[in-house]
C-alpha cells in the first residue's frame, strides 16, 4: 500500500479525515513516498529539518550511540553526549545561560521551564509569585501548562476546565495590531501592553513571562520592532519577573543567526529550545538556565521537581551533537541567512495573487497570511478551511508546507508557513516558489468560483 487512511489502519492519525502517503525515504530537502513521488520539504516538517534528510554522518553518530550506550536514567548516571551537548549549547547561548536540562519535546521543555521559574520563587521565599503571563497570539505546546500559556483559543476549547488561567498580553503582530507596525508604535509593539497587564495582575504575584522572540506559527513569522525585547528585558527586571524566551521554533539558526535575540542585544532569564537542535534525527527539547537561578534550587530542595524517564537521553543528545557539528562544519547558519534572502526575494512574486495579504519573516522562516479582503485584512471564514485546502493542493503539487489557523480573531485566519532545511539550493528555492505560486493561484480561482 502506498496511501493510508483511517479507519483502514491500526494508527490513530493526527488527522482522521484524510489520506496519508507512506513516506519511505528522505534525501536533502526531499521526501519520497512509496509510490516514488517526491515532495520538496518546504517547512522542514514542523520547522524541524535544518540539515536536511539522510545525512549519513548524523545517522552514524546516532547508530554508534545506540550500539555503545542507548539509555541510562538521569538519576543514576550522566553520559558523554549529554555533557558535550550541554557544553556546546551553553557556549552559544546568549547572556548567562550556562546549564542545560534535556527533555524530549518542546512542550516538555516549556513545562519544565515554567516549573523551574515557579520553584525558584518558592525556594527564595517568594511563594506569592506564581502567575505566568504570555502573548496572544502565541504558542508554547500542547501539554496542559504549555497549552494554558498558549494564546490559541481553538486548541483550548475542549480543555478549558483543566487549564490554569494565564493572563494574556497582546503580541507585537504588525499586520494586525493597532499601529500596523509603523511609528508611533501601539502598546503591543512598544511593550506597554506587558506593563499594563503586570500592573493589573500585581507584579508581586507574577513568576514569569513566556514569549517567542520571533513569532512562530501563531503570528506567522512576525518580527517584533528593534525596541521591543530591550523594553521587555527592562520591565522584567523592574518588576522582578523571569523572562522565558521560547526559541523552540525560531532558534537554532532558523532566522539566520543562532538565537533571534542576538539581533536585539538582550538575553532572557531562561530559554527553551527544541525542533532544529537535532534536525529531526531524534526528539529533543532543552531548558537553558543560569546558575543564579539553579544555585538557589541546589541550596534548597536539591532538584527540579520535573523528572521524566527520558530526561538527559544519551541517544537524543548524540543526535543533537552530530547535528550541531554538521551545522558548524558546513556553516549552515550563515547559509540560512543567504538562502533566506533569496527565498524572501522569490516570495515577493506571490504577492500579486489577490488572496495573499502579507508575506513576512526572516532567514529561512516565512509566513504568508491569506485574506478574503486585502484592503480590510478580513480573514476568510473558518468554514472555508483555506489553509488546509492549500496544504492539500501543495501535497498534490509535491510541496510540503505548514498551515496555521485562528490567529486573526482566535478562530479565523489562514497562514502558510515556509521553513525549508538550511541546505536548500537556489534552484530548489525557485522550485518551492513556483509550486507555491501554482497552489495559491489555484486556491484563488477555487475561491473566486465559489463566491
Ligand atoms: N513552542 C513553540 C514556539 C512551538 O512552535 C512549539 C511547537 O510547534 C512548541 C513550543 C511545542 O513543541 P513540541 O511540539 O515539540 O512539543
Amino acid at each position: 500500500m502506498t496511501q493510508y487512511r483511517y479507519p483502514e489502519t491500526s494508527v490513530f492519525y493526527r488527522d482522521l479525515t484524510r489520506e496519508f502517503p507512506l513516506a519511505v525515504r528522505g534525501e536533502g530537502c526531499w521526501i519520497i513516498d512509496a509510490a516514488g513521488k517526491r515532495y520538496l520539504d518546504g517547512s522542514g516538517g514542523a520547522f524541524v529539518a535544518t540539515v536536511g534528510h539522510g545525512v549519513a554522518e548524523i545517522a552514524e553518530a546516532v547508530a554508534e550511540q545506540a550500539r555503545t550506550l542507548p539509555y541510562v536514567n538521569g538519576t543514576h548516571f550522566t553520559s558523554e553526549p549529554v555533557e558535550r551537548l550541554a557544553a556546546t549549547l551553553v557556549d552559544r547561548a546568549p547572556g548567562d545561560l550556562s546549564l542545560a536540562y534535556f527533555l524530549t519535546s518542546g512542550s516538555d521543555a516549556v513545562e519544565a521551564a515554567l516549573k523551574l521559574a515557579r520553584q525558584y520563587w518558592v525556594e527564595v521565599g517568594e511563594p506569592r509569585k506564581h502567575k505566568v503571563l504570555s502573548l496572544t497570539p502565541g504558542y508554547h505546546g500542547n501539554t496542559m501548562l504549555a497549552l494554558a500559556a498558549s494564546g490559541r483559543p481553538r486548541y483550548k476549547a475542549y480543555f478549558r476546565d483543566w487549564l490554569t488561567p494565564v493572563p494574556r498580553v497582546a503580541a507585537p503582530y504588525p499586520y494586525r495590531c493597532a499601529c500596523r507596525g509603523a511609528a508611533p508604535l501601539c502598546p503591543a509593539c512598544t511593550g506597554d501592553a506587558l506593563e499594563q497587564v503586570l500592573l493589573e495582575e500585581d507584579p508581586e504575584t507574577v513568576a514569569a513571562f513566556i514569549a517567542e522572540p520571533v513569532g512562530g506559527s501563531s503570528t506567522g513569522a512576525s518580527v517584533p520592532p528593534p525596541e521591543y525585547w530591550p523594553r521587555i528585558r527592562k520591565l522584567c527586571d523592574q518588576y522582578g519577573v523571569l523572562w522565558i524566551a521560547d526559541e523552540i521554533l525560531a532558534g537554532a539558526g532558523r532566522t539566520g543567526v543562532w538565537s533571534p535575540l542576538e539581533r536585539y542585544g538582550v538575553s532572557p532569564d531562561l530559554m527553551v529550545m527544541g525542533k532544529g537542535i537535532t534536525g529531526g534525527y531524534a526528539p529533543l527539547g532543552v531548558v537553558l538556565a543560569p546558575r543564579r537561578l539553579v544555585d538557589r534550587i541546589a541550596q534548597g530542595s536539591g532538584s527540579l521537581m520535573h523528572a521524566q524517564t527520558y530526561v538527559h537521553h544519551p541517544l537524543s543528545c548524540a543526535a543533537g551533537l552530530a547535528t550541531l557539528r554538521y551545522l558548524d562544519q558546513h556553516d549552515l547558519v550563515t547559509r540560512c541567512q543567504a538562502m533566506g534572502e533569496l527565498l524572501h526575494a522569490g516570495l515577493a512574486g506571490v504577492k500579486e495573487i489577490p488572496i495573499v495579504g502579507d508575506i513576512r519573516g526572516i532567514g529561512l522562516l516565512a509566513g504568508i497570511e491569506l485574506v478574503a479582503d486585502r484592503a480590510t485584512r478580513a480573514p476568510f471564514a473558518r468554514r472555508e478551511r483555506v489553509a488546509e485546502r492549500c496544504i492539500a493542493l501543495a501535497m498534490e503539487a509535491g510541496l510540503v508546507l505548514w498551515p496555521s489557523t485562528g490567529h486573526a480573531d482566535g478562530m479565523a485566519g489562514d497562514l502558510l508557513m515556509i521553513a525549508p532545511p538550511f541546505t536548500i539550493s537556489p534552484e530548489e528555492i525557485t522550485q518551492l516558489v513556483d509550486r507555491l505560486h501554482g497552489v495559491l493561484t489555484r486556491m484563488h480561482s477555487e475561491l473566486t468560483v465559489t463566491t
Side-chain angles (χ1 to χ4, degrees), residues 301-321:
S301 64
S303 64
L304 172 65
M305 293 298 154
H306 185 78
Q308 290 182 304
T309 301
Y310 291 136
V311 161
H312 301 314
H313 198 293
L315 201 65
S316 294
C317 289
L321 205 53

Side-chain angles (χ1 to χ4, degrees), residues 369-383:
E369 184 151 350
L370 305 176
V371 290
D373 184 330
R374 268 181 172 174
T376 62
R377 305 187 179 189
F380 288 103
R382 186 77 288 269
R383 67 173 179 283

Side-chain angles (χ1 to χ4, degrees), residues 84-95 97-98 247 252-253 257-260 262 271 273 277 288 320-321 323-329 332-333:
R84 285 175 57 204
L85 182 60
T88 308
L89 284 173
V90 303
D91 208 36
R92 56 189 80 189
L97 302 172
S98 52
E247 296 204 354
V257 288
W258 179 253
S259 159
E262 284 169 36
M271 182 181 281
M273 301 183 74
I277 46 175
L288 298 175
L321 205 53
T323 303
L324 297 196
R325 194 182 311 125
Y326 192 86
L327 277 171
D328 287 350
Q329 276 169 354
L332 289 182
V333 177

Side-chain angles (χ1 to χ4, degrees), residues 210-371:
I210 182 165
E212 300 162 73
V214 163
S217 49
S218 294
T219 59
S222 289
V223 181
E227 48 276 76
Y228 185 75
W229 292 113
R231 178 83 200 290
I232 297 301
R233 176 67 278 171
K234 262 198 200 127
L235 288 172
C236 288
D237 288 342
Q238 183 182 342
Y239 292 107
V241 167
L242 296 174
W243 166 26
I244 305 173
D246 180 344
E247 296 204 354
I248 288 164
L249 188 151
R254 173 60 63 193
T255 64
V257 288
W258 179 253
S259 159
L261 287 175
E262 284 169 36
R263 292 200 165 97
Y264 293 86
V266 285
S267 54
D269 297 299
L270 290 164
M271 182 181 281
V272 283
M273 301 183 74
K275 296 183 185 277
I277 46 175
T278 60
Y281 285 80
L284 188 65
V286 62
V287 180
L288 298 175
R291 286 180 200 276
R292 67 188 148 89
L293 300 191
V294 179
D295 279 352
R296 302 308 293 263
I297 289 173
Q299 291 150 12
S301 64
S303 64
L304 172 65
M305 293 298 154
H306 185 78
Q308 290 182 304
T309 301
Y310 291 136
V311 161
H312 301 314
H313 198 293
L315 201 65
S316 294
C317 289
L321 205 53
T323 303
L324 297 196
R325 194 182 311 125
Y326 192 86
L327 277 171
D328 287 350
Q329 276 169 354
H330 299 268
D331 202 10
L332 289 182
V333 177
T334 310
R335 184 185 169 85
C336 173
Q337 167 73 24
M339 292 301 113
E341 282 164 20
L342 273 189
L343 174 71
H344 289 281
L347 288 177
V350 303
K351 190 88 201 250
E352 69 193 25
I353 304 167
I355 59 172
V356 175
D358 192 32
I359 301 173
R360 52 186 179 254
I362 187 164
L364 282 173
L365 178 65
I368 301 179
E369 184 151 350
L370 305 176
V371 290

Side-chain angles (χ1 to χ4, degrees), residues 110-111 114-115 118 129-134 143-152 156 159-168 201 205 207-208 210:
V110 168
E111 297 279 326
L114 291 171
K115 284 182 173 174
R118 166 64 182 157
K129 289 179 94 59
H130 68 284
K131 292 179 190 165
V132 174
L133 308 187
S134 68
T143 49
M144 297 315 277
L145 189 53
L147 183 60
S150 297
R152 279 223 183 145
K156 295 177 163 181
F159 312 110
R160 292 232 166 263
D161 293 341
W162 294 348
L163 296 169
T164 196
V166 171
R168 317 295 329 165
E201 293 296 327
T205 66
I210 182 165

